[in-house]
Amino acid sequence: MKLIADSEDVRIDAQDLAFLLVTHGFNAEPKGDSVIVKLDDVVYEMTPNGVEPGLADILIEDSKPQVKAPPSAPELHNG
């Protein structure tokens, strides 16, 4: 978030933003006029030079909560 919020470049496009994010270790790829970023179990859509200050506006596109069985679940103890 800091990388996106603390910088401003009115000429950046989706290709440039995806490249910047990949070089900083993020799973990012351009998709039309935006960039899709997958981080843990969340998919973000970033639109370069959006309404908000910074490099891009960020929208959470998809989130899948992790579900874990409690340690006391019977199926874990029946070998």
Side-chain angles (χ1 to χ4, degrees), residues 20-69:
L20 174 69
L21 292 168
V22 167
T23 60
H24 283 85
F26 291 94
N27 179 358
E29 64 181 76
K31 180 182 173 187
D33 291 336
S34 61
V35 176
I36 302 300
V37 179
K38 296 176 184 172
L39 184 59
D40 297 324
D41 287 334
V42 181
V43 177
Y44 299 90
E45 182 176 357
M46 298 185 175
T47 305
N49 295 312
V51 177
E52 298 295 320
L55 291 178
D57 288 351
I58 303 171
L59 174 69
I60 297 176
E61 189 168 286
D62 189 19
S63 177
K64 295 183 180 18
Q66 291 182 341
V67 179
K68 294 182 181 178

